[in-house]
Amino acid sequence: MADADVPGQGSGTGTEGAPSRSILRSETLIVLALSLGASALSALISFVGSVTKPGGLKHQAATLNASHAPGRPWLDLAWQLFGIATALVPVALVAHLLLRERAGGLRAIGFDRRRPGFDLSRGVGIAAVIGGSGLLLYLGARAAGANLTVVPEALPEVWWKIPVLIASAVQNAVLEEVVVVGYLLRRLGQLGWSPMAALAASSLLRGSYHLYQGIGGFFGNMVMGVLFVLLYRRWGRVGPLVAAHALIDIVAFVGYAVLAGRVGWLPTR
């Protein structure tokens, strides 16, 4: 296997027929600016606004899936589907860029249908480990005043609520794991970054675009990012990470929709 095909590694020498390092650097910045890099900057601005607002963080709320047209369910549904679809455009761009360099598209980072059983089984295991510990970390950080109250959903009680929440969870998983793990590690390796530096960049970026949730969200997702990078390098596939992330978010979104206001331990506002 050539260096450029090893997750998080690669010579990045710009061999004949391959993009030069300057092109790869610009391309990577553009992909991030159109996706999670912009989200990281938005989250930082949101966090500054939260910490400078009177009152503690835990008395403020960060709503993840909100209504876009209250009282107009069909228009709301159109906006929800539009948001999910457009959020996946950077994934299509990554697939195009990997096809252009003749790497096999998303297959180069292990996001394909070659090993569905492997991806799902590993994903379930990861989700089981991270899901419970992540909930405990969130509750602890909120109690300590280091996190906003996260409201996973605030959608109206309509027939499409649960399907949209599931679709939103899958969209989050696909976008984040394809861009922040598979694509970014590949490009940083080709640009000559060391494996440790690439791991730090990927996990820091993941924490940064969750900063709108507070300090707990930042550090919790950084730890998750480190684990995901290590697993990706072990397996060479983002498939299990997408499955795990999707399951974690589905449980969080749908679980909140079912349990909010019915159990005392789950903060709602």
Side-chain angles (χ1 to χ4, degrees):
M1 180 180 291
D3 284 347
D5 294 327
V6 177
Q9 299 182 21
S11 61
T13 54
T15 55
E16 184 177 358
S20 66
R21 285 192 178 187
S22 61
I23 290 176
L24 291 178
R25 188 178 299 110
S26 298
E27 172 199 292
T28 303
L29 292 174
I30 291 170
V31 169
L32 293 179
L34 292 173
S35 58
L36 295 165
S39 296
L41 181 57
S42 173
L44 175 60
I45 296 172
S46 177
F47 177 70
V48 172
S50 296
V51 297
T52 55
K53 184 177 180 179
L57 289 179
K58 69 178 181 180
H59 299 299
Q60 302 175 50
T63 304
L64 307 188
N65 294 282
S67 174
H68 296 304
R72 306 181 68 183
W74 286 104
L75 181 61
D76 201 349
L77 175 60
W79 277 118
Q80 298 294 337
L81 296 178
F82 172 79
I84 291 169
T86 53
L88 290 173
V89 171
V91 176
L93 175 59
V94 167
H96 166 76
L97 294 171
L98 294 178
L99 280 171
R100 189 187 64 179
E101 68 174 271
R102 299 180 182 178
L106 296 180
R107 183 172 182 171
I109 58 175
F111 188 53
D112 52 36
R113 294 178 293 178
R114 285 179 295 173
R115 305 181 67 185
F118 177 90
D119 293 344
L120 183 58
S121 62
R122 298 304 190 277
V124 169
I126 299 168
V129 172
I130 292 180
S133 57
L135 176 59
L136 292 175
L137 175 62
Y138 159 65
L139 294 174
R142 181 182 178 277
N147 223 75
L148 284 77
T149 298
V150 177
V151 180
E153 69 87 17
L155 296 177
E157 295 297 330
V158 290
W159 64 268
W160 48 260
K161 177 176 181 174
I162 300 302
V164 162
L165 289 175
I166 293 173
S168 176
V170 173
Q171 171 255 297
N172 288 341
V174 172
L175 174 64
E176 293 186 36
E177 307 317 325
V178 166
V179 173
V180 179
V181 178
Y183 173 77
L184 185 59
L185 290 182
R186 181 182 180 87
R187 285 294 183 256
L188 293 181
Q190 291 170 323
L191 289 170
W193 287 47
S194 70
M196 185 59 69
L199 180 149
S202 177
S203 57
L204 180 61
L205 176 59
R206 187 187 295 268
S208 297
Y209 58 75
H210 287 95
L211 191 57
Y212 68 92
Q213 299 177 8
I215 298 297
F218 173 75
F219 284 108
N221 279 280
M222 271 193 65
V223 173
M224 176 177 167
V226 171
L227 176 62
F228 274 27
V229 168
L230 295 176
L231 291 176
Y232 174 62
R233 286 178 173 162
R234 179 180 179 85
W235 296 328
R237 296 185 59 78
V238 299
L241 310 183
V242 171
H245 193 152
L247 288 171
I248 292 169
D249 281 6
I250 288 171
V251 170
F253 296 170
V254 177
Y256 185 89
V258 172
L259 297 177
R262 295 180 175 89
V263 294
W265 55 265
L266 183 63
T268 54
R269 289 293 178 185

